[in-house]
Amino acid sequence: MIQIILNGKPHNIKEKTNIISLLETLSLSEKKVAVEINEEVVPRDNYVKKILSSKDRVEIVHFIGGG
Protein backbone atom coordinates (compact mmCIF):
# COMPACT_ATOMS: atom_id res chain seq x y z
CA MET A 1 0.00 0.00 0.00
CA ILE A 2 1.04 3.58 -0.62
CA GLN A 3 -0.39 6.82 0.71
CA ILE A 4 -1.59 9.68 -1.45
CA ILE A 5 -3.24 12.93 -0.46
CA LEU A 6 -6.78 12.83 -1.86
CA ASN A 7 -8.71 16.11 -1.75
CA GLY A 8 -6.52 17.24 1.14
CA LYS A 9 -6.72 14.05 3.24
CA PRO A 10 -4.42 11.01 3.48
CA HIS A 11 -5.73 8.01 1.54
CA ASN A 12 -4.18 4.55 1.16
CA ILE A 13 -4.22 2.78 -2.20
CA LYS A 14 -2.58 -0.28 -3.72
CA GLU A 15 0.75 0.18 -5.49
CA LYS A 16 0.50 0.63 -9.27
CA THR A 17 -3.00 2.11 -9.05
CA ASN A 18 -3.98 4.21 -12.04
CA ILE A 19 -6.57 6.97 -12.08
CA ILE A 20 -9.29 4.72 -13.53
CA SER A 21 -8.81 2.21 -10.69
CA LEU A 22 -8.89 4.98 -8.09
CA LEU A 23 -12.13 6.35 -9.52
CA GLU A 24 -13.66 2.86 -9.53
CA THR A 25 -12.79 2.32 -5.85
CA LEU A 26 -14.43 5.67 -5.09
CA SER A 27 -17.52 4.76 -7.19
CA LEU A 28 -16.98 7.76 -9.45
CA SER A 29 -17.55 7.94 -13.20
CA GLU A 30 -14.56 9.14 -15.19
CA LYS A 31 -16.99 11.11 -17.36
CA LYS A 32 -18.27 13.23 -14.47
CA VAL A 33 -15.00 14.31 -12.84
CA ALA A 34 -11.80 16.21 -13.51
CA VAL A 35 -8.57 14.96 -11.93
CA GLU A 36 -5.56 17.01 -10.95
CA ILE A 37 -2.31 15.46 -9.72
CA ASN A 38 0.32 17.64 -8.07
CA GLU A 39 -1.40 20.77 -9.37
CA GLU A 40 -1.55 19.58 -13.00
CA VAL A 41 -4.81 18.63 -14.70
CA VAL A 42 -4.62 15.13 -16.16
CA PRO A 43 -6.29 14.71 -19.57
CA ARG A 44 -8.97 12.01 -19.52
CA ASP A 45 -7.03 10.12 -22.22
CA ASN A 46 -4.20 9.58 -19.68
CA TYR A 47 -6.33 8.15 -16.84
CA VAL A 48 -5.32 4.58 -17.71
CA LYS A 49 -1.64 5.41 -18.24
CA LYS A 50 -1.07 7.58 -15.16
CA ILE A 51 0.09 5.45 -12.23
CA LEU A 52 -0.16 7.15 -8.85
CA SER A 53 2.92 7.45 -6.64
CA SER A 54 3.37 7.77 -2.91
CA LYS A 55 2.64 11.30 -1.67
CA ASP A 56 0.94 12.39 -4.92
CA ARG A 57 -1.55 15.16 -4.23
CA VAL A 58 -4.75 14.20 -6.05
CA GLU A 59 -7.73 16.51 -6.38
CA ILE A 60 -10.97 15.19 -7.86
CA VAL A 61 -13.65 17.69 -8.89
CA HIS A 62 -17.20 16.45 -9.57
CA PHE A 63 -19.29 17.97 -12.33
CA ILE A 64 -22.82 18.65 -11.19
CA GLY A 65 -25.57 19.42 -13.67
CA GLY A 66 -28.41 21.73 -12.94
CA GLY A 67 -30.43 24.58 -14.18
Side-chain angles (χ1 to χ4, degrees), residues 4-33:
I4 61 172
I5 305 301
L6 177 61
N7 292 344
K9 297 179 182 175
H11 186 81
N12 292 320
I13 59 172
K14 293 180 184 178
E15 289 186 45
K16 299 182 182 176
T17 295
N18 63 18
I19 295 173
I20 292 291
S21 296
L22 176 63
L23 293 174
E24 286 174 356
T25 62
L26 299 171
S27 299
L28 296 173
S29 169
E30 66 182 89
K31 295 176 182 172
K32 296 185 179 183
V33 298

Side-chain angles (χ1 to χ4, degrees), residues 19-20 23 29-35 41-49 63:
I19 295 173
I20 292 291
L23 293 174
S29 169
E30 66 182 89
K31 295 176 182 172
K32 296 185 179 183
V33 298
V35 179
V41 175
V42 179
R44 190 169 285 122
D45 294 346
N46 292 343
Y47 284 10
V48 172
K49 299 176 203 169
F63 297 120

